[in-house]
Amino acid sequence: MPSLSRLAAGVTVAALALAGTTVPATAAPRQDTWTVSQRGISAEVGLTDGALHLDVERHGRTVLSGALGLHTTGADLSSGLRAVDDDRRTVVERYETTTGKQRHRATPMSELRLELRGADDARMDLVVRVAADGVAYRYELPEAATITGEASAYTLPEDAPAWLLPYNAWYEQNRVATTAGGAEAGDFGHPSLFEVGEDFALLTESDVDGRYSGSRLRHTEGTGEYHVVLADETVTADRTPWRTAIVGDLATVTESTLVDDLASPSKIRDTSWIRPGKVAWSWLSDHSSPSDFERQKEFVDFAARNNWYAVLVDEGWSAEWVPELVRYARARGVEILLWFHWTRLDTAEEQDTVLPLVKSWGVRGVKLDFMESDTQERYRWYDTVLAKTASLELMVNFHGSTIPHGLARTWPHIMTMEAVRGAENYPLPVNNPVQAFTRNVVGSMDYTPVSLDTGIQRASVAHEVALPVVYESGWQHFADSPEAYERHPEALRFLNQVPTTWDETELVAGHPSRGAVFARRGDDRWFLGAISAGEPRTVSAPLRFLDGGRWLVEVIRDGEGPRGDVVRSSRVLTARDTLSVEVAADGGFAAIACRAWPGRTTCDEPLQHVPSSTLDVSPAGEVDVTKGESFEVTATFHTDRDVRDVRLSAVAPSGWSVSGRTVTRHRLPAGEHLTARWTVHVGQDSPSGYVDVPVVAEFDAPRWSDRVHVERAVRTFVPPPPLAGEPWVSDVPFVAETNGWGPVERDRSVNESAAGDGNPLTIDGVVYEKGLGTHAPSRVEVYLGGQCSRFDALVGLDDETTEPGSVAFRVLADGAVRYDSGLVRPGPGIPVSVDVSGARMLTLEVTDGGDGKNFDHADWADARLTC
């Protein structure tokens, strides 16, 4: 093989690899091996007796080897192969990211394309790329074929230490420390880490989407062999993803961007709307709070005080109050993110209706959960939902998901993905270091860190505080409550400073089984995170990542007491120094480093807040309107600080119109009022029910990067047609509905979370054709308009649950309780007959009985009105 030479730009390639010369197949000499190299990493492809194999070396040391090939219904492309052509080139990927360990990327890769022919002249191209941080290959076919599997496999030394993830499709098992040969027979998920002498290899895949199927590694017991197994029995495709081995020392592996480098380029040209940041999240610390509007406002207030980007409202939110929560939050400089079970968006129709609706409320992103599949069909769903959210400028967090495959490069509005046994599973601290060397290497990881009062409380407070540096995630969803963080003000002080995207990342020290120390740079500050597993010890961090000169280093470490606040100390150090900290059992520390100058005492930057503002609108209460009617809206706006480029407008709902001008002001001094008046025309084709008329004030504020959005709404009600006769409630329109799990079902039980997935309504063995299937807590409003006299039903718990629940049923007329069942447990249906004479609005409520909502499937059977 020709010797290697270092180019001026620091890129090493195999001699002659850049020629790109194609030799006609008839003239090509027989060649059994092809070698591709890049800066100490080499891949040798061999063709022996018609079978392909791959050997990967680092600095002359063999790290792994393995078989190559593809099986289709029409050809066996793993044997009887012959090479007919080869081509070489250098590929340089230059791009910027919205999230990740390194914002600006420039990666040279040497590429070999080997054209192969099998029986009946069936063609397959093997494409191999080698970078300074690893090797990847893929298969390409001249046209789509039905692929039945791959011959792709990796062979590691049997005694190589290994950190493996027993496979499930949501990647949330505990990783096991074993050896390549000693691991149990079975399937293991990507990425899988192996230590081979001086080197490490992290096996994973890249550029996986709906064009193919996901895969896993199947171990052959008693050997070091791991075969690539697809999630589907067959896949229709013309190419495979990149089978990817990140290779190097631990620093090379953890700092690698190879998975992103191999992925398809961004499909989004303008990324200015994408905003990483810190997120307050209530579900883990206060499980019922996502259904509590007032509690969510407290999380918004906390986020605003601490300059956190957003609040995630998890499972349990209500469409009745989310728009108002969004208005409340945005006026304080906080955005709202909403949770969805993926089945709420599993059809094109749902994506085209639900997502535009929440976008119209002002929601900035969605958390999509429980996909739990690596099949090609599910990956096609990822493709469609990512395209739709991108078109609406909605950011995305995937939970219950597959791992990143470079998706955040292709779709940079992906802020993070779960696919980890995170804080919600209460993992032991001993499981924390390995995630930094495995799962988090391949993309942002929504571990939901920093549990101070919630969870098992085994890791020290400083260990928890260090996690947002050790773990990279474009959105960091912090796991605890405002009260917990405010009881730890020094911990909160650090969290308020730590970024969620990074310009530079370096592994400082660590090992998957013992601990991890990472340094990450955001702008001109370095943040250090160190976590340790096991007994108390001294953790040392050489500061070689710092540039020359003197640096102020503030260290955040555990204080006195098992769950007390962290303490902060500072010193001036240089890149020649080593920072050593005594840490507790399962402890850690964090640090911030900034340039030292005379008089500088802290690296903290001031927190930014939007100006306080007031937007008053009239009419202030709910207004009944009829189709074709017009009414006046007025607004008055002011702030407590000078602001610029103010714009005050009223927004017409769909099918309505607004007369009157938008009022603008180049500069609005503090306390000065801006007023406007409009005439709103109700559309003749307006839907019935509640319709909000938003009034919006937008402005620019000093030291605030985004335009501030302050919104109030005039609440109107467009009455539906009057009811007559004896209609079933399941046949009339709902004015509003909320449900504890999935949508309210008509003439079916609630069953699971998908719309229309219910079973026949069944109470104590009796099946009912008509009625409502709900899940506590639920609420259904029906407009009566004074036209009805009686409501009748049979209420009870549906038989579909395997464990008993308990609920209470209530019937309200114009907000007044007319019937309360008291506590209801499984048993026969209870007859309900309520006088609703003269009532404008009927409300049917189900509460959880006081013991939580699990198994609370509640039916309103034979629900009927007399009108």
Side-chain angles (χ1 to χ4, degrees), residues 201-213:
L202 186 71
L203 306 182
T204 188
E205 54 187 353
S206 176
D207 206 26
V208 193
D209 54 28
R211 293 172 291 179
Y212 206 71
S213 172

Side-chain angles (χ1 to χ4, degrees), residues 11 39 91-96 102-109 257 261:
V11 179
R39 296 178 65 182
V91 177
V92 181
E93 295 291 334
R94 292 187 176 91
Y95 59 100
E96 294 185 6
Q102 180 183 335
R103 194 165 292 158
H104 302 281
R105 315 276 179 91
T107 304
M109 292 179 279
T257 61
D261 300 338

Side-chain angles (χ1 to χ4, degrees), residues 344-366:
R344 288 284 287 116
L345 298 165
D346 64 346
T347 67
E349 181 182 6
E350 288 173 327
Q351 293 173 20
D352 289 342
T353 55
V354 176
L355 291 173
L357 176 64
V358 299
K359 172 68 176 182
S360 73
W361 296 343
V363 169
R364 290 298 302 274
V366 291

Side-chain angles (χ1 to χ4, degrees), residues 77-386:
L77 295 167
S78 67
S79 63
L81 298 173
R82 67 187 187 280
V84 298
D85 197 4
D86 69 83
D87 190 25
R88 297 173 183 266
R89 64 174 183 150
T90 294
V91 177
V92 181
E93 295 291 334
R94 292 187 176 91
Y95 59 100
E96 294 185 6
T97 64
T98 56
T99 62
K101 63 187 81 171
Q102 180 183 335
R103 194 165 292 158
H104 302 281
R105 315 276 179 91
T107 304
M109 292 179 279
S110 299
E111 180 183 282
L112 165 71
R113 178 179 291 272
L114 190 60
E115 182 183 335
L116 300 149
R117 301 278 179 161
D120 298 325
D121 215 32
R123 175 177 172 176
M124 175 184 75
D125 286 3
L126 172 69
V127 184
V128 181
R129 287 187 181 178
V130 179
D133 50 353
V135 174
Y137 64 88
R138 78 183 333 162
Y139 311 111
E140 297 183 2
L141 301 174
E143 59 184 15
T146 301
I147 296 169
T148 59
E150 298 182 23
S152 309
Y154 302 96
T155 301
L156 289 303
E158 292 183 24
D159 61 351
W163 293 266
L164 305 179
L165 181 71
Y167 177 77
N168 62 34
W170 50 101
Y171 297 82
E172 292 182 33
Q173 296 277 46
N174 276 323
R175 287 186 178 269
V176 294
T178 179
T179 62
E184 294 182 358
D187 292 351
F188 296 94
H190 298 301
S192 293
L193 181 66
F194 300 87
E195 183 177 4
V196 184
E198 301 175 48
D199 308 304
F200 287 80
L202 186 71
L203 306 182
T204 188
E205 54 187 353
S206 176
D207 206 26
V208 193
D209 54 28
R211 293 172 291 179
Y212 206 71
S213 172
S215 73
R216 52 191 179 269
L217 298 175
R218 181 162 294 167
H219 178 229
T220 303
E221 188 172 9
T223 73
E225 293 181 1
Y226 291 80
H227 295 262
V228 174
V229 178
L230 303 186
D232 294 289
E233 291 186 5
T234 62
V235 179
T236 301
D238 61 1
R239 66 103 178 104
T240 70
W242 293 101
R243 304 284 160 235
T244 306
I246 302 172
V247 175
D249 58 19
L250 268 184
T252 300
V253 169
T254 53
E255 296 165 19
S256 170
T257 61
L258 184 59
V259 170
D260 289 342
D261 300 338
L262 293 164
S264 298
S266 174
K267 295 178 182 288
I268 300 175
R269 185 178 299 274
D270 176 17
T271 61
S272 61
W273 53 275
I274 298 171
R275 290 286 188 273
K278 289 166 283 209
V279 182
W281 175 56
S282 69
W283 182 87
L284 188 62
S285 64
D286 192 354
H287 191 63
S288 63
S289 63
S291 61
D292 186 336
F293 174 55
E294 293 300 325
R295 182 59 170 155
Q296 291 305 306
K297 286 169 64 177
E298 292 175 359
F299 274 80
V300 167
D301 292 339
F302 170 78
R305 287 194 299 272
N306 294 283
N307 196 24
W308 291 12
Y309 173 70
V311 168
L312 168 63
V313 189
D314 214 287
E315 180 257 323
W317 57 267
S318 169
E320 284 194 330
W321 51 256
V322 162
E324 183 57 34
L325 180 69
V326 173
R327 297 181 193 112
Y328 182 86
R330 296 185 76 185
R332 289 155 179 78
V334 177
E335 302 293 348
I336 294 297
L337 319 174
L338 287 185
W339 176 94
F340 284 92
H341 195 289
W342 81 277
T343 54
R344 288 284 287 116
L345 298 165
D346 64 346
T347 67
E349 181 182 6
E350 288 173 327
Q351 293 173 20
D352 289 342
T353 55
V354 176
L355 291 173
L357 176 64
V358 299
K359 172 68 176 182
S360 73
W361 296 343
V363 169
R364 290 298 302 274
V366 291
K367 173 182 176 180
L368 307 179
D369 206 348
F370 293 109
M371 286 73 69
E372 299 181 353
S373 173
D374 278 317
T375 61
Q376 185 178 30
E377 179 186 11
R378 194 59 44 82
Y379 281 20
R380 286 172 174 164
W381 174 85
Y382 280 100
D383 292 347
T384 59
V385 80
L386 284 167

Side-chain angles (χ1 to χ4, degrees), residues 431-455:
N431 296 315
N432 285 349
V434 70
Q435 307 293 1
F437 299 101
T438 53
R439 163 61 183 86
N440 207 191
V441 172
V442 300
S444 286
M445 181 178 78
D446 195 16
Y447 180 93
T448 64
V450 197
S451 300
L452 302 183
D453 288 355
T454 194

